[in-house]
Amino acid sequence: MSATIQTIDTPDGPFTILVDEGQRVLASGWTATREEILERLAPAHRPDDVVEGETTAADAVRAYYEGDLAAIDGVAVHQHGTDMQRSGWEALRRIVPGEPLTYTEFAVELGSPRAVRAVASVCARNAPALFVPCHRVLRGDGSMGGFAWGVDVKRSLLARESAGAR
C-alpha cells in the first residue's frame, strides 16, 4: 500500500495527515514528524511507500480552524481494530462539538457503562486525530486527562469548539 503525507500549519502547530490511495485518513496529529504519524499505526498496517503531496483532508482541517467545526465530519477515515474499537471510533464522530462527554458517559453511549477503561483505550488507540475527535472525551471530574498530542492542544480544540457551538 502506498500513502500520501502532508503537513499544514494550524494555530495549534503543525498538523500532519497520512492518507491512503482513496484519500481516507489513516493517521493524523499535531506534529511535523513523519515517524510520529506512522507510529500511530500498527506495524502491519503501515504503508510500504509514503510520498509527500496534497490531501483533500487538509482542506477540511483549514475549514475547521476557520470556524466550520463540521468540516471534519465528512472526511473518510480508515482504521484497523476490534469490533469494540471500531464502534467506539464511530461513536466518537457523533459527539457534538462543544458538548464533550466524560469517559463514563462515553462508555454508557457505547452500551457498556462499566467499560470505562476499555473506552479510554479506544481513545488512546485512535490514529486519525481531529477527524475522529477523541479530544471530546474528558475525565469524570471534567478535567482534560491525557491526549496523544498534548493537553494544551486538547484544551485549545475544546475551547474553539465551545466558542463555535454558541
XYZ file of all heavy atoms in Angstrom, residues 6-112:
821
model
N 0.980 14.896 4.248
C 1.009 16.350 4.090
C 1.006 16.991 5.469
O 0.274 16.558 6.362
C -0.213 16.837 3.304
C -0.249 18.337 3.106
C -1.472 18.812 2.328
O -2.433 18.076 2.138
N -1.444 20.063 1.893
N 1.813 18.033 5.629
C 1.837 18.804 6.868
C 1.404 20.228 6.545
O 1.891 20.824 5.585
C 3.240 18.801 7.495
O 3.629 17.447 7.765
C 3.268 19.597 8.798
N 0.463 20.721 7.363
C -0.005 22.104 7.212
C 0.166 22.822 8.552
O 0.283 22.184 9.602
C -1.478 22.176 6.744
C -2.421 21.531 7.776
C -1.635 21.526 5.369
C -3.896 21.739 7.487
N 0.183 24.133 8.506
C 0.248 24.933 9.723
C -1.159 25.166 10.258
O -2.087 25.396 9.488
C 0.908 26.281 9.447
C 2.390 26.147 9.138
O 3.043 25.274 9.746
O 2.884 26.906 8.290
N -1.303 25.099 11.581
C -2.561 25.418 12.250
C -2.235 26.296 13.454
O -1.074 26.358 13.881
C -3.311 24.157 12.743
O -2.650 23.651 13.913
C -3.409 23.087 11.676
N -3.234 26.931 14.040
C -2.991 27.713 15.261
C -2.446 26.866 16.413
O -1.842 27.405 17.340
C -4.368 28.282 15.604
C -5.082 28.349 14.292
C -4.598 27.142 13.534
N -2.638 25.560 16.348
C -2.131 24.662 17.389
C -0.803 24.021 17.014
O -0.339 23.115 17.700
C -3.174 23.576 17.701
C -4.412 24.155 18.354
O -4.270 25.012 19.247
O -5.529 23.765 17.961
N -0.196 24.475 15.931
C 1.087 23.934 15.498
C 0.936 23.131 14.224
O -0.154 23.035 13.652
N 2.041 22.544 13.754
C 1.977 21.758 12.520
C 1.031 20.567 12.690
O 0.982 19.959 13.755
C 3.415 21.300 12.294
C 4.104 21.463 13.592
C 3.370 22.517 14.364
N 0.286 20.272 11.633
C -0.664 19.157 11.641
C -0.356 18.296 10.422
O -0.367 18.789 9.294
C -2.105 19.677 11.577
C -3.145 18.610 11.747
C -3.458 18.121 12.998
C -3.807 18.088 10.642
C -4.425 17.134 13.168
C -4.773 17.101 10.796
C -5.081 16.622 12.054
N -0.074 17.029 10.665
C 0.302 16.119 9.591
C -0.791 15.089 9.377
O -1.353 14.542 10.332
C 1.650 15.438 9.903
O 2.648 16.466 10.023
C 2.058 14.472 8.806
N -1.068 14.842 8.092
C -2.146 13.938 7.673
C -1.549 12.866 6.765
O -0.822 13.183 5.819
C -3.221 14.719 6.878
C -3.730 15.914 7.686
C -4.370 13.798 6.472
C -4.402 16.981 6.838
N -1.870 11.617 7.053
C -1.461 10.480 6.223
C -2.722 9.862 5.641
O -3.628 9.479 6.391
C -0.717 9.448 7.076
C -0.220 8.201 6.349
C 0.957 8.548 5.431
C 0.188 7.125 7.360
N -2.802 9.793 4.306
C -3.986 9.229 3.649
C -3.590 8.082 2.729
O -2.466 8.022 2.225
C -4.764 10.296 2.829
C -5.257 11.419 3.733
C -3.932 10.851 1.691
N -4.554 7.184 2.498
C -4.331 6.085 1.554
C -4.667 6.545 0.143
O -4.992 7.725 -0.082
C -5.108 4.828 1.972
C -6.621 4.989 1.930
O -7.138 5.978 1.361
O -7.319 4.096 2.462
N -4.640 5.622 -0.807
C -4.887 5.955 -2.213
C -6.283 6.535 -2.436
O -6.510 7.286 -3.376
C -4.710 4.723 -3.106
C -3.295 4.183 -3.136
C -3.090 3.015 -2.170
O -3.892 2.849 -1.210
O -2.118 2.271 -2.361
N -7.232 6.199 -1.559
C -8.597 6.699 -1.667
C -8.834 7.977 -0.877
O -9.978 8.371 -0.680
N -7.762 8.604 -0.414
C -7.830 9.837 0.383
C -8.493 9.631 1.748
O -8.974 10.589 2.367
C -8.516 10.979 -0.389
C -7.694 11.521 -1.536
C -6.476 12.308 -1.062
O -6.546 13.134 -0.162
N -5.328 12.044 -1.682
N -8.526 8.386 2.226
C -9.027 8.120 3.578
C -7.883 8.374 4.561
O -6.751 7.909 4.342
C -9.513 6.683 3.713
C -10.678 6.356 2.798
C -11.092 4.915 2.914
N -9.972 4.024 2.583
C -10.028 2.695 2.647
N -11.133 2.093 3.039
N -8.974 1.968 2.334
N -8.177 9.082 5.645
C -7.143 9.385 6.634
C -6.812 8.128 7.427
O -7.692 7.498 8.020
C -7.584 10.526 7.574
C -6.521 10.782 8.634
C -7.879 11.791 6.777
N -5.537 7.784 7.424
C -5.039 6.646 8.192
C -4.561 7.089 9.570
O -4.759 6.397 10.560
C -3.883 5.971 7.452
C -4.182 5.469 6.049
C -2.897 5.007 5.367
C -5.209 4.347 6.098
N -3.894 8.243 9.608
C -3.369 8.783 10.857
C -3.153 10.277 10.674
O -2.921 10.745 9.555
C -2.055 8.102 11.243
N -3.229 10.998 11.782
C -3.011 12.440 11.741
C -2.729 12.930 13.152
O -3.059 12.270 14.132
C -4.228 13.157 11.157
O -5.409 12.817 11.867
N -2.120 14.111 13.214
C -1.853 14.698 14.517
C -0.989 15.930 14.427
O -0.485 16.288 13.359
N -0.797 16.562 15.569
C -0.104 17.837 15.663
C 1.395 17.628 15.813
O 1.966 17.712 16.902
C -0.675 18.659 16.821
C -2.043 19.145 16.501
C -2.376 20.358 15.965
C -3.274 18.426 16.647
N -3.728 20.431 15.760
C -4.304 19.255 16.179
C -3.604 17.148 17.111
C -5.633 18.864 16.169
C -4.922 16.756 17.101
C -5.924 17.611 16.636
N 2.021 17.342 14.688
C 3.458 17.134 14.604
C 3.882 17.359 13.166
O 3.058 17.232 12.261
C 3.846 15.703 15.046
O 5.265 15.548 14.959
C 3.182 14.640 14.186
N 5.132 17.668 12.977
C 5.690 17.751 11.621
C 6.571 16.538 11.352
O 7.205 16.449 10.313
C 6.494 19.044 11.456
N 6.577 15.593 12.287
C 7.448 14.430 12.193
C 6.709 13.241 11.587
O 5.775 12.707 12.189
C 7.988 14.057 13.594
O 8.583 15.204 14.173
C 8.999 12.943 13.511
N 7.128 12.860 10.413
C 6.541 11.738 9.684
C 6.506 10.463 10.534
O 5.510 9.738 10.553
C 7.373 11.554 8.416
C 7.123 10.328 7.650
C 8.177 10.187 6.557
N 7.541 9.712 5.360
C 7.882 10.020 4.149
N 8.884 10.820 3.924
N 7.248 9.528 3.132
N 7.596 10.181 11.235
C 7.686 8.951 12.030
C 6.633 8.911 13.132
O 6.090 7.857 13.432
C 9.095 8.805 12.632
C 10.172 8.487 11.616
C 10.541 9.685 10.718
O 10.387 10.851 11.162
O 10.948 9.440 9.573
N 6.370 10.064 13.751
C 5.350 10.104 14.809
C 3.983 9.712 14.271
O 3.212 9.038 14.958
C 5.270 11.514 15.411
C 5.832 11.608 16.799
C 5.595 12.975 17.401
O 6.125 13.959 16.866
O 4.878 13.042 18.419
N 3.677 10.137 13.064
C 2.392 9.783 12.449
C 2.369 8.300 12.104
O 1.393 7.599 12.399
C 2.125 10.658 11.203
C 1.948 12.118 11.614
C 0.914 10.156 10.426
C 0.799 12.403 12.564
N 3.423 7.800 11.496
C 3.474 6.380 11.123
C 3.398 5.476 12.352
O 2.781 4.407 12.299
C 4.729 6.083 10.305
C 4.732 6.682 8.900
C 6.106 6.545 8.264
C 3.663 6.030 8.035
N 3.980 5.904 13.460
C 3.960 5.098 14.682
C 2.572 4.997 15.296
O 2.333 4.149 16.149
C 4.948 5.665 15.706
C 6.390 5.388 15.321
C 7.393 6.107 16.206
O 6.978 6.825 17.157
O 8.595 5.966 15.943
N 1.629 5.837 14.870
C 0.250 5.739 15.349
C -0.429 4.494 14.780
O -1.454 4.061 15.282
C -0.557 6.988 14.975
C -0.048 8.282 15.565
C -0.134 8.354 17.066
N -1.515 8.274 17.512
C -1.881 8.004 18.757
N -0.984 7.806 19.688
N -3.143 7.948 19.076
N 0.159 3.925 13.728
C -0.384 2.723 13.091
C 0.385 1.494 13.555
O 1.598 1.554 13.736
C -0.268 2.830 11.561
C -0.963 4.022 10.908
C -0.596 4.091 9.438
C -2.464 3.925 11.087
N -0.333 0.382 13.699
C 0.345 -0.881 13.999
C 1.274 -1.208 12.829
O 0.956 -0.899 11.675
C -0.686 -1.992 14.194
N 2.425 -1.818 13.096
C 3.378 -2.110 12.022
C 2.759 -2.813 10.815
O 3.098 -2.500 9.668
C 4.434 -2.984 12.708
C 4.404 -2.518 14.135
C 2.948 -2.202 14.413
N 1.839 -3.712 11.039
C 1.220 -4.449 9.928
C 0.356 -3.554 9.039
O 0.051 -3.930 7.904
C 0.366 -5.593 10.474
N -0.027 -2.392 9.531
C -0.919 -1.504 8.786
C -0.228 -0.231 8.278
O -0.891 0.663 7.763
C -2.135 -1.139 9.640
C -2.911 -2.333 10.076
N -3.549 -3.176 9.199
C -3.104 -2.862 11.305
C -4.121 -4.159 9.868
N -3.867 -3.998 11.146
N 1.086 -0.199 8.421
C 1.833 0.954 7.909
C 2.022 0.800 6.403
O 2.280 -0.291 5.911
C 3.181 1.074 8.613
C 3.030 1.457 10.065
C 4.352 1.601 10.783
N 4.077 1.776 12.207
C 4.901 1.420 13.170
N 6.093 0.906 12.881
N 4.565 1.601 14.429
N 1.918 1.898 5.663
C 2.108 1.822 4.211
C 3.557 1.467 3.853
O 4.484 1.793 4.597
C 1.755 3.227 3.722
C 1.814 4.098 4.921
C 1.592 3.244 6.123
N 3.708 0.788 2.715
C 5.042 0.427 2.229
C 5.769 1.636 1.664
O 6.986 1.732 1.742
C 4.926 -0.647 1.133
C 4.240 -1.895 1.634
O 4.545 -2.328 2.767
O 3.382 -2.422 0.913
N 5.007 2.525 1.073
C 5.573 3.683 0.398
C 4.801 4.932 0.825
O 3.569 4.932 0.785
C 5.470 3.480 -1.123
C 6.099 4.602 -1.911
O 7.185 5.071 -1.525
O 5.496 5.015 -2.918
N 5.515 5.978 1.243
C 4.880 7.227 1.648
C 5.514 8.359 0.850
O 6.735 8.517 0.845
C 5.065 7.495 3.163
C 4.459 8.830 3.561
C 4.469 6.365 3.986
N 4.660 9.127 0.165
C 5.142 10.265 -0.618
C 4.493 11.541 -0.108
O 3.353 11.523 0.367
C 4.850 10.094 -2.132
C 5.587 8.885 -2.693
C 3.364 9.978 -2.392
N 5.211 12.635 -0.208
C 4.631 13.922 0.163
C 3.732 14.402 -0.957
O 4.027 14.197 -2.134
C 5.739 14.930 0.447
C 6.470 14.593 1.724
C 7.372 15.707 2.203
O 7.084 16.891 1.926
O 8.356 15.376 2.866
N 2.609 15.003 -0.584
C 1.670 15.503 -1.577
C 0.500 16.186 -0.918
O 0.484 16.406 0.295
N -0.495 16.504 -1.725
C -1.699 17.174 -1.249
C -2.742 16.138 -0.824
O -2.884 15.101 -1.464
C -2.292 18.053 -2.357
C -1.364 19.162 -2.823
C -1.183 20.241 -1.777
O -2.191 20.663 -1.170
O -0.032 20.663 -1.567
N -3.473 16.465 0.245
C -4.575 15.622 0.697
C -5.846 16.453 0.713
O -5.796 17.648 1.010
C -4.317 15.070 2.118
O -4.331 16.156 3.042
C -2.987 14.325 2.208
N -6.961 15.826 0.411
C -8.230 16.557 0.484
C -8.599 16.852 1.939
O -9.293 17.831 2.220
C -9.376 15.778 -0.205
O -9.484 14.494 0.389
C -9.117 15.639 -1.700
N -8.107 16.040 2.852
C -8.395 16.248 4.272
C -7.821 17.565 4.779
O -8.363 18.170 5.714
C -7.857 15.086 5.099
N -6.748 18.037 4.171
C -6.137 19.301 4.606
C -7.122 20.457 4.458
O -7.145 21.373 5.293
C -4.862 19.574 3.823
N -7.946 20.424 3.414
C -8.948 21.480 3.234
C -9.948 21.484 4.394
O -10.374 22.539 4.853
C -9.696 21.302 1.909
C -8.797 21.533 0.703
O -7.796 22.278 0.829
O -9.093 20.965 -0.360
N -10.323 20.299 4.853
C -11.258 20.199 5.976
C -10.627 20.734 7.262
O -11.301 21.393 8.061
C -11.708 18.755 6.169
N -9.339 20.484 7.461
C -8.652 20.991 8.650
C -8.609 22.518 8.613
O -8.896 23.183 9.616
C -7.227 20.406 8.762
C -6.468 21.037 9.930
C -7.274 18.892 8.913
N -8.279 23.062 7.459
C -8.258 24.526 7.324
C -9.640 25.116 7.607
O -9.771 26.116 8.324
C -7.779 24.925 5.928
C -6.303 24.663 5.698
C -5.872 25.156 4.307
N -4.540 24.720 3.991
C -4.243 23.697 3.185
N -5.207 23.004 2.591
N -2.983 23.379 2.965
N -10.681 24.501 7.055
C -12.053 24.986 7.277
C -12.435 24.887 8.755
O -13.063 25.796 9.305
C -13.037 24.202 6.411
N -12.047 23.796 9.405
C -12.307 23.628 10.843
C -11.694 24.792 11.623
O -12.350 25.412 12.453
C -11.728 22.284 11.311
C -11.743 22.093 12.802
C -12.852 21.565 13.447
C -10.635 22.442 13.580
C -12.866 21.388 14.830
C -10.639 22.278 14.952
C -11.755 21.748 15.574
O -11.760 21.586 16.950
N -10.439 25.075 11.344
C -9.753 26.145 12.060
C -10.284 27.528 11.693
O -10.093 28.477 12.439
C -8.241 26.064 11.861
C -7.581 25.116 12.845
C -7.213 23.840 12.474
C -7.340 25.512 14.159
C -6.616 22.971 13.373
C -6.754 24.656 15.068
C -6.385 23.385 14.683
O -5.806 22.526 15.581
N -10.971 27.642 10.574
C -11.588 28.915 10.191
C -13.002 29.050 10.776
O -13.690 30.034 10.517
C -11.616 29.049 8.665
C -10.235 29.258 8.080
C -10.188 29.140 6.567
O -11.249 28.926 5.925
O -9.073 29.232 6.021
N -13.451 28.037 11.539
C -14.726 28.134 12.230
C -15.803 27.157 11.787
O -16.857 27.081 12.412
N -15.560 26.405 10.718
C -16.534 25.406 10.261
C -16.244 24.090 10.973
O -15.554 23.220 10.440
C -16.449 25.247 8.740
C -17.442 24.230 8.195
O -18.242 23.664 8.989
O -17.415 23.993 6.968
N -16.766 23.963 12.185
C -16.459 22.794 13.014
C -16.940 21.482 12.400
O -16.396 20.419 12.689
C -17.059 22.977 14.410
C -16.576 24.204 15.189
C -17.291 24.293 16.526
C -15.068 24.190 15.358
N -17.930 21.541 11.534
C -18.464 20.330 10.898
C -17.627 19.882 9.701
O -17.860 18.801 9.163
C -19.908 20.565 10.459
N -16.652 20.672 9.301
C -15.858 20.350 8.105
C -15.150 18.999 8.216
O -14.956 18.317 7.208
C -14.838 21.449 7.836
N -14.797 18.600 9.423
C -14.069 17.338 9.608
C -14.990 16.115 9.584
O -14.525 14.994 9.413
C -13.257 17.350 10.919
C -14.175 17.567 12.129
C -12.147 18.388 10.847
C -13.518 17.394 13.479
N -16.292 16.348 9.743
C -17.243 15.240 9.880
C -17.320 14.335 8.661
O -17.504 13.133 8.789
C -18.643 15.765 10.204
C -18.712 16.473 11.543
O -17.764 16.340 12.350
O -19.708 17.178 11.775
N -17.206 14.892 7.475
C -17.369 14.100 6.260
C -16.092 13.500 5.724
O -16.114 12.810 4.700
N -14.977 13.728 6.395
C -13.698 13.199 5.924
C -13.648 11.698 6.196
O -13.845 11.254 7.328
C -12.518 13.923 6.612
C -11.194 13.285 6.228
C -12.532 15.404 6.259
N -13.369 10.935 5.163
C -13.283 9.476 5.306
C -12.014 9.098 6.062
O -10.951 9.686 5.843
C -13.299 8.814 3.941
N -12.157 8.136 6.951
C -11.014 7.604 7.697
C -10.986 6.090 7.511
O -11.987 5.474 7.121
C -11.086 7.952 9.206
C -11.076 9.451 9.421
C -12.294 7.326 9.864
N -9.829 5.499 7.778
C -9.702 4.043 7.700
C -8.850 3.585 8.873
O -7.686 3.962 8.984
C -9.062 3.628 6.381
C -9.003 2.155 6.190
N -10.136 1.395 5.979
C -7.972 1.290 6.192
C -9.789 0.125 5.853
N -8.479 0.032 5.988
N -9.488 2.793 9.760
C -8.791 2.294 10.939
C -8.965 0.790 11.056
O -10.003 0.252 10.682
C -9.344 2.956 12.208
C -9.142 4.457 12.231
C -9.430 5.035 13.603
O -8.583 4.992 14.476
N -10.624 5.577 13.772
N -7.948 0.148 11.592
C -7.998 -1.287 11.863
C -8.105 -1.479 13.368
O -7.345 -0.871 14.120
C -6.713 -1.977 11.372
C -6.525 -1.873 9.895
N -7.112 -2.745 9.006
C -5.826 -0.992 9.152
C -6.784 -2.401 7.779
N -5.992 -1.337 7.833
N -9.057 -2.305 13.797
C -9.201 -2.558 15.218
C -10.253 -3.614 15.479
O -10.844 -4.178 14.552
N -10.503 -3.839 16.748
C -11.522 -4.799 17.159
C -12.897 -4.208 16.873
O -13.034 -3.012 16.581
C -11.411 -5.087 18.666
O -11.715 -3.878 19.382
C -10.024 -5.596 19.044
N -13.922 -5.024 16.992
C -15.289 -4.525 16.803
C -15.598 -3.399 17.784
O -16.198 -2.391 17.418
C -16.308 -5.655 16.975
C -16.300 -6.647 15.821
O -15.746 -6.314 14.748
O -16.845 -7.754 15.994
N -15.172 -3.562 19.040
C -15.441 -2.527 20.040
C -14.698 -1.239 19.675
O -15.255 -0.147 19.806
C -15.044 -2.969 21.430
C -15.343 -1.881 22.451
S -14.875 -2.338 24.100
C -15.311 -0.858 24.969
N -13.456 -1.352 19.241
C -12.713 -0.153 18.858
C -13.389 0.553 17.687
O -13.575 1.773 17.724
C -11.270 -0.509 18.491
C -10.420 -0.865 19.692
C -9.083 -1.429 19.292
O -8.929 -2.085 18.262
N -8.084 -1.207 20.135
N -13.779 -0.203 16.688
C -14.430 0.420 15.524
C -15.751 1.084 15.927
O -16.055 2.196 15.484
C -14.628 -0.609 14.407
C -13.308 -0.935 13.694
C -13.526 -1.692 12.394
N -14.257 -2.940 12.549
C -13.713 -4.110 12.870
N -12.429 -4.210 13.069
N -14.463 -5.178 12.975
N -16.518 0.430 16.790
C -17.761 1.038 17.282
C -17.467 2.313 18.070
O -18.175 3.311 17.946
C -18.519 0.063 18.182
O -18.975 -1.031 17.444
N -16.416 2.263 18.872
C -16.022 3.432 19.652
C -15.584 4.588 18.769
O -15.964 5.740 19.005
N -14.805 4.286 17.741
C -14.347 5.348 16.834
C -15.523 5.971 16.088
O -15.566 7.177 15.898
C -13.300 4.810 15.870
C -12.021 4.400 16.563
C -11.453 4.991 17.662
C -11.171 3.307 16.221
N -10.300 4.330 18.007
C -10.099 3.290 17.139
C -11.203 2.337 15.220
C -9.071 2.354 17.081
C -10.181 1.401 15.159
C -9.128 1.412 16.086
N -16.491 5.146 15.706
C -17.704 5.686 15.056
C -18.475 6.569 16.024
O -18.980 7.631 15.651
C -18.585 4.544 14.545
C -18.004 3.804 13.354
C -18.785 2.545 13.006
O -19.928 2.375 13.487
O -18.239 1.714 12.251
N -18.568 6.144 17.283
C -19.292 6.925 18.292
C -18.581 8.251 18.593
O -19.246 9.263 18.834
C -19.457 6.107 19.575
N -17.265 8.252 18.564
C -16.535 9.497 18.783
C -16.929 10.541 17.742
O -17.037 11.726 18.050
C -15.023 9.262 18.723
C -14.390 8.600 19.939
C -12.959 8.167 19.624
C -14.428 9.509 21.146
N -17.181 10.094 16.540
C -17.539 11.022 15.460
C -18.943 11.611 15.647
O -19.288 12.591 14.989
C -17.415 10.337 14.107
C -15.952 9.949 13.813
C -15.728 9.548 12.408
N -15.366 10.765 11.660
C -15.047 10.761 10.383
N -15.071 9.642 9.686
N -14.728 11.888 9.774
N -19.727 11.021 16.548
C -21.078 11.536 16.810
C -21.124 12.521 17.974
O -22.171 13.129 18.227
C -22.038 10.375 17.071
C -22.270 9.493 15.843
C -23.402 8.508 16.058
N -23.191 7.567 17.151
C -22.641 6.358 17.033
N -22.218 5.937 15.853
N -22.510 5.574 18.077
N -20.016 12.690 18.696
C -20.005 13.643 19.807
C -20.056 15.048 19.216
O -19.252 15.412 18.364
C -18.758 13.472 20.702
C -18.722 12.064 21.309
C -18.770 14.527 21.813
C -17.459 11.767 22.107
N -21.009 15.812 19.670
C -21.250 17.155 19.141
C -20.149 18.108 19.610
O -19.816 18.132 20.803
C -22.637 17.658 19.599
C -22.890 19.073 19.148
C -23.722 16.712 19.106
N -19.587 18.912 18.709
C -18.604 19.910 19.124
C -19.189 20.823 20.201
O -20.344 21.245 20.109
C -18.315 20.714 17.849
C -18.734 19.824 16.722
C -19.859 18.984 17.263
N -18.400 21.090 21.224
C -18.868 21.945 22.314
C -19.639 21.199 23.379
O -20.050 21.797 24.369
N -19.847 19.885 23.190
C -20.579 19.074 24.164
C -19.789 17.811 24.506
O -20.239 16.689 24.261
C -21.962 18.700 23.614
C -22.842 19.904 23.337
C -24.202 19.520 22.775
O -24.640 18.361 22.954
O -24.829 20.390 22.153
N -18.578 17.965 25.073
C -17.751 16.792 25.371
C -18.426 15.855 26.379
O -19.288 16.286 27.150
C -16.468 17.385 25.933
C -16.843 18.740 26.421
C -17.973 19.197 25.545
N -18.016 14.610 26.331
C -18.501 13.594 27.259
C -17.376 13.185 28.198
O -16.203 13.303 27.844
C -18.960 12.343 26.492
C -20.093 12.488 25.484
C -20.341 11.150 24.790
C -21.361 12.975 26.165
N -17.740 12.657 29.360
C -16.739 12.036 30.223
C -16.531 10.604 29.725
O -17.336 10.073 28.947
C -17.196 11.995 31.691
O -18.350 11.134 31.778
C -17.518 13.383 32.224
N -15.452 9.978 30.174
C -15.218 8.581 29.804
C -16.398 7.706 30.231
O -16.809 6.806 29.502
C -13.917 8.052 30.421
C -12.686 8.604 29.754
C -11.909 9.567 30.375
C -12.305 8.170 28.487
C -10.776 10.083 29.762
C -11.173 8.678 27.864
C -10.421 9.637 28.505
O -9.305 10.147 27.893
N -16.983 8.002 31.404
C -18.135 7.230 31.887
C -19.337 7.439 30.967
O -20.007 6.468 30.591
C -18.485 7.641 33.334
O -17.343 7.404 34.160
C -19.670 6.848 33.860
N -19.610 8.683 30.585
C -20.726 8.956 29.671
C -20.496 8.303 28.311
O -21.430 7.796 27.691
C -20.903 10.471 29.494
C -21.409 11.171 30.742
C -21.295 12.685 30.659
O -20.418 13.204 29.930
O -22.096 13.356 31.352
N -19.247 8.309 27.881
C -18.922 7.684 26.603
C -19.129 6.172 26.673
O -19.650 5.562 25.738
C -17.488 8.042 26.194
C -17.104 7.571 24.821
C -17.873 7.900 23.711
C -15.970 6.817 24.630
C -17.520 7.472 22.434
C -15.601 6.388 23.363
C -16.380 6.710 22.264
N -18.771 5.559 27.803
C -18.993 4.121 27.992
C -20.485 3.800 27.944
O -20.907 2.818 27.326
C -18.380 3.649 29.312
N -21.301 4.634 28.568
C -22.762 4.467 28.533
C -23.255 4.591 27.089
O -24.079 3.800 26.626
C -23.460 5.486 29.464
C -24.964 5.501 29.239
C -23.134 5.179 30.917
N -22.746 5.590 26.378
C -23.118 5.808 24.974
C -22.840 4.561 24.119
O -23.593 4.248 23.205
C -22.328 7.009 24.430
C -22.611 7.362 23.011
C -23.931 8.090 22.819
O -24.492 8.628 23.785
O -24.408 8.100 21.676
N -21.773 3.842 24.461
C -21.410 2.622 23.729
C -22.176 1.395 24.224
O -21.988 0.300 23.698
C -19.909 2.359 23.830
C -19.027 3.319 23.050
C -17.550 3.031 23.321
C -19.313 3.222 21.568
N -22.999 1.582 25.252
C -23.772 0.463 25.780
C -22.991 -0.410 26.736
O -23.395 -1.530 27.041
N -21.867 0.077 27.232
C -21.018 -0.673 28.165
C -20.633 0.215 29.343
O -19.479 0.610 29.483
C -19.752 -1.168 27.459
O -20.066 -1.962 26.354
